[in-house]
Amino acid sequence: MTTTARPLAAAVDAADWAAIATELDTHGCALTPRLIDPASCRRIAELYDDVTLFRSTVDMARHRFGSGQYRYFTHELPHPVAELRSALYPHLLGVARDWADRLGRPAPWPDSLEEWLGRCHAAGQAKSAQILLRYEAGDWNALHRDLFGDMVFPLQVVIGLDEQGVDYTGGEFLLVEQRPRAQSRGTSTVLKQGHGLVFTTRDRPVRSARGWSAGPVRHGVSTVRSGLRRSLGLVFHDAA
């Protein structure tokens, strides 16, 4: 599967990652350019109906996570999902290590995604955490963080598979950041079709009077007012 005659990895590599890193430092999230063309977005979204590709289905209302549904892929990821994840990891790794350095934390992430996932599995986090999400009118996602154990990669990516204003309305991506000794700050982003949104998994470094502090961040999705909103979630650690 290609985007405008280029492999997915080439589309990822062509992004301005220095500008994305700056946006992440400033806001805790950053949009990429288009990584997937509309036809490929539809094909990925349609994978949702093939239950053999997934290890489990989560009904968000049942678990009081909001309203809507998502499915976790098995480790046998479809090619475009695996290619995107592998291509994104090295670009995010530098930001992850830089943030860890500012916060005085260990940076346990090796150059290889496969080696990092092996460490996750050795620590008991061996379930795939890659998901397809599906929201219909009235659905929403409560603010949360995707932490599945002690092995955490601090950045993740969600890719829009439908077009806001055409396929659905509402459904903005939400971030709420708890700032040191200040009121929380919210950010709302329209997730463009085929574009990725890079965002922090749990917190990010923010300047304080005493240097750098960790600003906890949660993410969610505002209420979908009409239509169907689907997205692909790429997480760079596995689940317990």
Side-chain angles (χ1 to χ4, degrees):
M1 189 180 294
T2 60
T3 62
T4 58
R6 295 187 303 168
L8 295 177
V12 171
D13 293 343
D16 185 345
W17 286 100
I20 290 170
T22 298
E23 281 285 301
L24 286 166
D25 277 341
T26 303
H27 301 293
C29 64
L31 281 167
T32 74
R34 184 185 292 278
L35 304 178
I36 313 174
D37 64 67
S40 299
C41 285
R42 287 191 293 272
R43 286 194 290 270
I44 292 173
E46 288 166 359
L47 296 175
Y48 198 88
D49 296 325
D50 184 354
V51 295
T52 65
L53 297 174
F54 302 93
R55 67 173 177 85
S56 67
T57 299
V58 176
D59 184 306
M60 286 189 271
R62 179 182 176 187
H63 295 279
R64 302 176 70 90
F65 295 160
S67 178
Q69 194 177 83
Y70 58 87
R71 287 179 170 161
Y72 285 104
F73 283 101
T74 69
H75 282 301
E76 297 299 319
L77 295 174
H79 174 73
V81 178
E83 184 179 349
L84 282 166
R85 191 187 189 207
S86 294
L88 286 161
Y89 178 79
H91 293 287
L92 302 177
L93 184 58
V95 178
R97 289 172 172 169
D98 179 54
W99 283 9
D101 181 63
R102 290 190 227 174
L103 293 171
R105 292 174 174 172
W109 314 288
D111 293 342
S112 163
L113 175 61
E114 290 71 23
E115 183 180 347
W116 166 240
L117 295 177
R119 295 182 189 181
C120 290
H121 296 177
Q125 294 176 214
K127 295 180 181 178
S128 172
Q130 315 315 302
I131 59 175
L132 274 184
L133 303 103
R134 179 185 176 94
Y135 303 90
E136 298 180 352
D139 289 341
W140 56 284
N141 196 340
L143 294 170
H144 66 284
R145 295 185 289 179
D146 295 316
L147 305 176
F148 308 118
D150 293 333
M151 308 295 281
V152 177
F153 191 80
L155 296 159
Q156 58 195 91
V157 180
V158 61
I159 298 174
L161 300 177
D162 294 297
E163 184 177 355
Q164 194 198 50
V166 176
D167 300 308
Y168 68 95
T169 60
E172 293 83 5
F173 186 90
L174 305 174
L175 282 182
V176 175
E177 178 181 54
Q178 181 181 330
R179 297 181 296 161
R181 294 175 296 282
Q183 297 293 328
S184 296
R185 181 178 71 173
T187 301
S188 173
T189 304
V190 172
L191 187 57
K192 300 178 181 180
Q193 185 183 41
H195 294 245
L197 181 69
V198 185
F199 61 99
T200 177
T201 300
R202 60 179 176 185
D203 56 26
R204 71 181 184 92
V206 293
R207 286 195 179 275
S208 67
R210 290 173 287 184
W212 293 100
S213 298
V217 180
R218 296 179 295 161
H219 63 274
V221 175
S222 71
T223 303
V224 174
R225 296 179 178 272
S226 65
L228 178 64
R229 178 195 188 277
R230 296 166 295 183
S231 59
L232 170 66
L234 300 173
V235 179
F236 299 90
H237 50 264
D238 281 345

